[in-house]
Amino acid sequence: NAGVTQTPKFQVLKTGQSMTLQCAQDMNHEYMSWYRQDPGMGLRLIHYSVGAGITDQGEVPNGYNVSRSTTEDFPLRLLSAAPSQTSVYFCASSYSPVTGELFFGEGSRLTVL
Amino acid sequence: SQQGEEDPQALSIQEGENATMNCSYKTSINNLQWYRQNSGRGLVHLILIRSNEREKHSGRLRVTLDTSKKSSSLLITASRAADTASYFCATDEGGGFKTIFGAGTRLFVKA
């Protein structure tokens, strides 16, 4: 099992560019989520999904879009990147958000110039 | 807004000593979790305690939960240099589908 796989690991964008951070899990987890982590801070929830076709907003959803067409994949799209979106992004999955234990990817470090 | 707030923000101890970290949260919860993050890596789940539990153990870890005070503590006994990491508490805010993290405690264990 690969667990949760995020790509790319590093990305540099210019302001206004768009990109997609990919996240895939092979554990057949229904629940997936995206977080961002800024220096000295904890993780802030961007969007989450409780199953294919179902997504909802987290704490800081503005500037990000998500979709969940399959159980395995949960891509995060930045439509028009801004320097404030410079951060490390983590994808996580869980069998159930109620029973807990999120499994995390290794992160994608994004710099917006 | 962040649900959990850890205290202290940073902690430096000698190997062999115990490390205690505290977490406070704001709303009702179904469960509270603790995670560990090594520098530059993803988070790893340590332990989950449910709202109807008061104490839980896992190896050198001991977690307590006081729902009346909306607080939890994580105790690492006989710490090792390899325990150096950041530790985060996380809760299911309001018992829903959002897992919300605190800002974390950075633990440094000196050999």
Side-chain angles (χ1 to χ4, degrees), chain B residues 63-81:
Chain B
V63 169
T64 62
L65 178 64
D66 187 336
T67 53
S68 67
K69 296 181 180 178
K70 291 187 171 58
S71 67
S72 173
S73 67
L74 171 67
L75 169 68
I76 304 174
T77 60
S79 61
R80 306 165 182 168

Side-chain angles (χ1 to χ4, degrees), chain A:
Chain A
N1 279 352
V4 178
T5 303
Q6 291 183 234
T7 57
K9 287 184 169 48
F10 300 94
Q11 183 72 46
V12 179
L13 290 177
K14 295 181 180 178
T15 296
Q17 288 184 318
S18 63
M19 78 157 300
T20 299
L21 299 177
Q22 302 290 347
C23 176
Q25 53 91 9
D26 60 0
M27 297 173 281
N28 202 30
H29 285 167
E30 290 295 325
Y31 183 85
M32 296 185 74
S33 53
W34 276 102
Y35 291 87
R36 60 176 287 173
Q37 184 177 33
D38 299 304
M41 297 184 69
L43 280 69
R44 289 184 291 171
L45 181 64
I46 304 171
H47 285 285
Y48 65 97
S49 170
V50 298
I54 306 169
T55 64
D56 206 346
Q57 296 181 346
E59 302 171 274
V60 289
N62 292 342
Y64 307 95
N65 276 3
V66 292
S67 60
R68 185 95 179 270
S69 57
T70 67
T71 299
E72 294 78 19
D73 300 299
F74 191 42
L76 178 71
R77 298 184 189 84
L78 284 71
L79 301 178
S80 179
S84 61
Q85 294 178 304
T86 294
S87 189
V88 181
Y89 291 85
F90 289 97
C91 179
S93 74
S94 174
Y95 174 74
S96 165
V98 177
T99 56
E101 187 166 5
L102 291 168
F103 292 82
F104 281 85
E106 288 299 308
S108 297
R109 185 176 296 274
L110 175 66
T111 301
V112 183
L113 303 175

Side-chain angles (χ1 to χ4, degrees), chain A residues 37 40-43, chain B residues 6 9-10 21 34-44 46 74 76 82-89 103-108:
Chain A
Q37 184 177 33
M41 297 184 69
L43 280 69
Chain B
E6 284 90 338
Q9 291 185 332
M21 290 159 266
W34 285 91
Y35 288 81
R36 164 192 169 129
Q37 183 183 35
N38 287 78
S39 181
R41 305 296 300 274
L43 278 71
V44 175
L46 294 176
L74 171 67
I76 304 174
D83 294 328
T84 294
S86 291
Y87 293 82
F88 297 90
C89 70
T105 293
R106 287 180 297 163
L107 174 65
F108 181 65

Side-chain angles (χ1 to χ4, degrees), chain B residues 1 3 6-7 14 19 30 35 39-40 47 56 62 67 76 79 94 96 105 111:
Chain B
S1 62
Q3 165 78 320
E6 284 90 338
D7 170 60
Q14 292 290 136
N30 286 323
Y35 288 81
S39 181
I47 196 165
K56 202 162 184 179
R62 172 177 167 253
T67 53
I76 304 174
S79 61
T105 293

